[in-house]
Amino acid sequence: MTILVTGGAGYIGSHTVDCLIRRGFDVVVVDNLVTGHRQAVNPKARFYKGDVRDANFLSHVFDREHIDGVIHFASVSIVPESMRDPLHYFDDNVEGTITLLEAMRDHNVKRIVFSSSASVYGDPKRMPIKESDPKVPTNPYGETKLMMERMMNWADVAYGIHFIALRYFNVGGAKLDGSIGEDHNPETHLIPIILQVALGQRNQLQIFGDDYPTKDGTNVRDYVHVLDLANAHILAMKWLLRGGHSDIFNLGSSTGFSNLQMLQAARDVTGQPISASMAPRRPGDPSTLIADSSKARKILGWKPKYDDIHKIISSAWKWTRKHPNGYEK
Ligand code: UFG
């Protein structure tokens, strides 16, 4: 079975490529390397550098390879950046998905698993969040993911392209040997920033807001290990390969941790004091996001193995210590 992974040089993509190869799949990776890293891609994957918005490039890849299914990660995914430059997000995420679906339609490829996000829900009041709950995104990033889901739905109706949308909550951690991990430039995510402070690369963590309606006033998020997420993509692809219908699943641990609790957990794991201060709210941040992931467990048989915040942080810490400057240096 040959699986095309778009964005396979990115954080979640590279872990999924690695898992696919270790499970015996043949893997083709497409990535424009704007935010991804060539070194993150398992060398057994066939790599094509290019952009999913480039129809000629995609057509060339689909002509050369016999693709059985697509896992689509390629997108921009930083909430605060999307607030500053929404059109960039609509161009990259929505336009990229249109071009990819057109290429799939034209090459008769009928299965796609893709990255959606908890940010499609906006700022929901009821926790934990179920897939059927209202979708009212509070930032352009979440809006693009919701549009991508809707497009997939109509592409299924019209062209018979079956899809699984996986709505990730907050992803963390790294491959357990520390050989691949999270490397964004600039870094905006909580866990890597906390660990950069632990390593002495930053002076301080700024915590964005302590006046939210949560137990300690800071935002609450639901963290899932990147390896558990990678495994969910494989289960979803297997579901489609078995003839399963299109569907949408939340992926989270169903437990919420506040930003202050995350800081404390990182202090426990690293043994470092990790200095922190309070800062104003970050625009677009929902107060609390906690998943109800029972549907993925029931239908896909997904069983997270690293369902513990300390395991998530300690694997990220191993990667950070091994690669203090990420992939490049
Ligand atoms: N935070 C800080 N200080 C920092 C960085 C982050 O306080 O320096 C806080 C944020 O305000 C937020 C929490 O840490 O409360 C988590 O922030 P991240 O930037 O790590 O992650 P987000 O929750 O903004 O977004 C992530 C993914 C999205 C996904 C979302 C779903 O990046 O793709 O989780 O929950 F949609």
Side-chain angles (χ1 to χ4, degrees):
M1 279 292 162
T2 301
I3 306 297
L4 168 65
V5 181
T6 75
Y11 170 44
I12 305 168
S14 60
H15 286 80
T16 304
V17 167
D18 191 61
C19 287
L20 281 164
I21 286 172
R22 283 185 294 111
R23 307 268 180 88
F25 287 89
D26 181 49
V27 179
V28 174
V29 169
V30 158
D31 200 298
N32 62 11
L33 296 182
V34 171
T35 55
H37 304 275
R38 182 69 183 85
Q39 307 91 308
V41 181
N42 185 308
K44 292 197 177 127
R46 289 188 297 291
F47 184 82
Y48 293 82
K49 184 178 175 206
D51 198 298
V52 287
R53 288 167 296 182
D54 180 344
N56 289 334
F57 162 71
L58 271 191
S59 186
H60 164 74
V61 176
F62 277 91
D63 284 343
R64 276 194 61 166
E65 303 284 351
H66 180 82
I67 307 291
D68 295 293
V70 176
I71 304 185
H72 178 38
F73 293 100
S75 74
V76 280
S77 59
I78 309 288
V79 170
E81 184 184 60
S82 79
M83 294 294 284
R84 289 192 300 273
D85 193 0
L87 295 183
H88 170 48
Y89 272 66
F90 287 100
D91 178 32
D92 220 307
N93 296 358
V94 179
E95 181 62 29
T97 302
I98 292 172
T99 315
L100 177 62
L101 287 171
E102 285 170 343
M104 290 177 66
R105 177 198 60 198
D106 296 346
H107 293 82
N108 207 27
V109 177
K110 300 287 192 190
R111 304 168 191 102
I112 182 166
V113 175
F114 84 104
S115 316
S116 187
S117 166
S119 58
V120 300
Y121 297 109
D123 204 351
K125 299 294 164 266
R126 196 176 72 172
M127 294 296 149
I129 305 164
K130 281 187 182 301
E131 287 84 353
S132 52
D133 284 352
K135 267 74 66 190
V136 192
T138 55
N139 53 63
Y141 167 65
E143 195 79 60
T144 65
K145 291 289 174 178
L146 192 53
M147 287 174 77
M148 288 161 67
E149 288 186 0
R150 303 268 198 244
M151 286 189 327
M152 296 275 173
N153 182 54
W154 293 113
D156 187 355
V157 172
Y159 318 125
I161 298 175
H162 292 350
F163 73 93
I164 295 289
L166 299 175
R167 291 183 183 148
Y168 315 155
F169 283 63
N170 285 57
V171 189
K175 189 174 175 185
L176 301 185
D177 65 2
S179 59
I180 53 175
E182 189 167 8
D183 178 8
H184 301 112
N185 188 17
E187 189 52 77
T188 62
H189 294 98
L190 183 66
I191 294 175
I193 286 182
I194 290 179
L195 296 180
Q196 287 173 354
V197 180
L199 209 61
Q201 293 176 323
R202 278 176 197 255
N203 291 335
Q204 205 173 49
L205 167 71
Q206 289 193 307
I207 297 178
F208 298 135
D210 62 353
D211 56 350
Y212 286 96
T214 60
K215 48 199 163 192
D216 60 23
T218 66
N219 285 160
V220 171
R221 294 287 182 272
D222 177 340
Y223 292 85
V224 56
H225 199 289
V226 68
L227 294 178
D228 286 325
L229 208 62
N231 187 39
H233 289 78
I234 296 174
L235 292 172
M237 181 52 75
K238 285 184 172 167
W239 163 267
L240 291 179
L241 290 169
R242 282 199 305 271
H245 57 74
S246 296
D247 213 335
I248 297 180
F249 298 96
N250 285 340
L251 296 178
S253 67
S254 309
T255 313
F257 288 89
S258 74
N259 293 340
L260 278 173
Q261 286 177 313
M262 292 298 289
L263 173 62
Q264 188 52 50
R267 285 174 173 154
D268 295 343
V269 166
T270 64
Q272 299 296 316
I274 312 181
S275 166
S277 65
M278 287 301 164
R281 288 183 175 200
R282 189 173 70 174
D285 272 345
S287 171
T288 299
L289 292 172
I290 301 171
D292 178 337
S293 298
S294 52
K295 187 177 165 191
R297 290 170 195 255
K298 194 169 151 213
I299 295 180
L300 297 178
W302 184 56
K303 280 196 211 81
K305 266 168 79 178
Y306 310 102
D307 205 356
D308 172 335
I309 201 63
H310 291 87
K311 286 188 193 154
I312 292 175
I313 295 173
S314 62
S315 65
W317 181 227
K318 184 162 191 178
W319 150 258
T320 306
R321 274 179 306 164
K322 268 191 150 176
H323 302 268
N325 298 307
Y327 285 104
E328 305 302 338
K329 296 111 204 165

